């Protein structure tokens, strides 16, 4: 069973080294490339102000977050949800940095280490750069694959909404199939979501036979020789 969790965070600013904190976490669970309908969504009280511009990006305010739990109160539930999964994160360095910073503030290294110790981390920005040409922002990839961002344009960034969009982008990048069943344009708020039907079949993955792979390698080697070894896939590798 292949378990993946698509993750996004919203923060008070761009740099955790400046003391910025997480204000929202959103996760979508996939098993064998199929949405299970399970999500994790949590607002977090940062106990500090937003940096200039960050509040407009997140659409959140300190007044809204005033009665929300702090990270220490939600950490166990969050880690229980993601532990053992492959985390799919757009620009993973950003989110992983903030999560590790929050874990470090708890002051219990034996209990709370690095998120990469609990999960495999896959950066979908890096994956996109290896797969497509041009801009690889979430908005640009949604446009490329025909994924609606109407709700994002109306409501602004939201961790769960962005995790849903990234889920569809990831499937499009890796299988050419972008419709997971999320109807993000029909949600009535940033915290609501639509999921695939329970009887939706897993997305198929097709593997080439040994003979197919051998024939493919022969063709690739011919191309390498013809180009003097200057091939796109070799440069990416």
């Amino acid at each position: 069973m292949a378990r993946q969790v698509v993750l996004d965070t919203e923060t008070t600013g761009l740099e955790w080294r400046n003391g910025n904190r997480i204000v929202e976490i959103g996760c979508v669970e996939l098993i064998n490339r199929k949405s299970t309908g399970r999500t994790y969504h949590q607002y977090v009280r940062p106990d500090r102000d937003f940096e200039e511009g960050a509040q407009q990006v997140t659409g959140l305010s300190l007044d809204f977050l005033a009665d929300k739990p702090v990270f220490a109160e939600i950490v166990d539930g969050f880690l229980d949800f993601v532990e053992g999964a492959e985390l799919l994160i757009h620009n993973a360095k950003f989110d992983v940095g903030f999560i590790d910073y929050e874990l470090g503030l708890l002051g219990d290294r034996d209990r709370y280490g690095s998120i990469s110790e609990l999960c495999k981390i896959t950066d979908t920005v890096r994956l996109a750069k290896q797969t497509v040409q041009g801009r690889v922002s979430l908005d640009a990839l949604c446009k490329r694959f025909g994924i609606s961002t109407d709700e994002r344009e109306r409501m602004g960034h939201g961790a769960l909404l962005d995790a849903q969009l990234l889920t569809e982008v990831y499937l499009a990048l890796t299988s050419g199939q972008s419709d997971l069943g999320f109807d993000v344009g029909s949600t009535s708020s940033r915290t609501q979501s639509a999921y695939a039907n329970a009887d939706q079949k897993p997305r198929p993955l097709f593997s080439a036979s040994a003979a197919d792979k051998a024939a493919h390698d022969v063709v690739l080697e011919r191309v390498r020789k013809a180009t003097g070894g200057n091939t796109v896939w070799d440069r990416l590798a």
Side-chain angles (χ1 to χ4, degrees):
M1 178 182 71
R3 182 171 181 264
Q4 298 169 306
V5 171
V6 185
L7 179 146
D8 185 71
T9 65
E10 299 295 337
T11 65
T12 62
L14 293 176
E15 180 55 69
W16 62 264
R17 293 179 181 85
N18 294 336
N20 284 299
R21 306 290 299 274
I22 291 174
V23 295
E24 186 182 6
I25 304 173
C27 301
V28 174
E29 182 185 62
L30 299 177
I31 291 182
N32 296 333
R33 299 173 60 80
K34 177 185 175 183
S35 171
T36 65
R38 291 187 67 222
T39 64
Y40 177 90
H41 181 233
Q42 181 65 61
Y43 293 110
V44 184
R45 190 176 79 244
D47 287 338
R48 63 149 290 157
D49 205 350
F50 285 88
E51 286 190 346
E52 184 177 358
Q55 188 170 344
Q56 288 70 31
V57 171
T58 65
L60 302 175
S61 68
L62 293 182
D63 287 342
F64 174 80
L65 297 169
D67 62 348
K68 304 303 184 287
V70 296
F71 187 82
E73 296 174 300
I74 63 95
V75 62
D76 290 329
F78 165 62
L79 294 181
D80 284 346
F81 188 88
V82 302
E83 185 173 6
E86 176 188 8
L87 295 186
L88 308 175
I89 310 174
H90 212 58
N91 189 18
K93 183 179 179 181
F94 177 89
D95 299 85
V96 169
F98 269 94
I99 293 171
D100 283 349
Y101 176 62
E102 294 283 0
L103 293 174
L105 291 176
L106 300 176
D108 190 346
R109 175 66 187 179
D110 292 336
R111 184 176 180 185
Y112 303 113
S114 168
I115 190 66
S116 60
E117 296 172 357
L118 297 175
C119 308
K120 175 184 176 182
I121 309 296
T122 295
D123 189 343
T124 51
V125 166
R126 181 176 298 179
L127 176 64
K129 288 180 177 179
Q130 295 173 346
T131 308
V132 302
Q133 294 182 342
R135 298 175 60 227
V136 294
S137 67
L138 184 58
D139 281 334
L141 291 171
C142 285
K143 183 176 181 180
R144 171 183 288 269
F145 294 117
I147 299 167
S148 173
T149 58
D150 290 349
E151 187 73 4
R152 197 175 196 237
E153 293 169 4
R154 286 196 299 269
M155 304 298 295
H157 290 238
L160 183 57
L161 175 59
D162 282 2
Q164 291 174 329
L165 293 173
L166 181 56
T167 299
E168 297 211 45
V169 165
Y170 170 75
L171 290 174
L173 282 170
T174 56
S175 70
Q177 296 167 304
S178 61
D179 181 12
L180 182 64
F182 292 143
D183 183 12
V184 295
S186 65
T187 52
S188 58
S189 77
R190 64 185 301 168
T191 61
Q192 291 178 316
S193 58
Y195 299 104
N197 295 330
D199 61 351
Q200 181 188 17
K201 293 182 173 59
R203 296 195 178 276
L205 287 176
F206 299 99
S207 298
S209 67
D212 290 336
K213 291 178 180 178
H216 182 63
D217 288 341
V218 169
V219 174
L220 293 185
E221 189 58 33
R222 290 174 181 168
V223 176
R224 285 191 184 96
K225 290 181 179 179
T227 61
N230 185 28
T231 61
V232 172
W233 60 87
D234 284 326
R235 291 200 301 271
L236 290 175

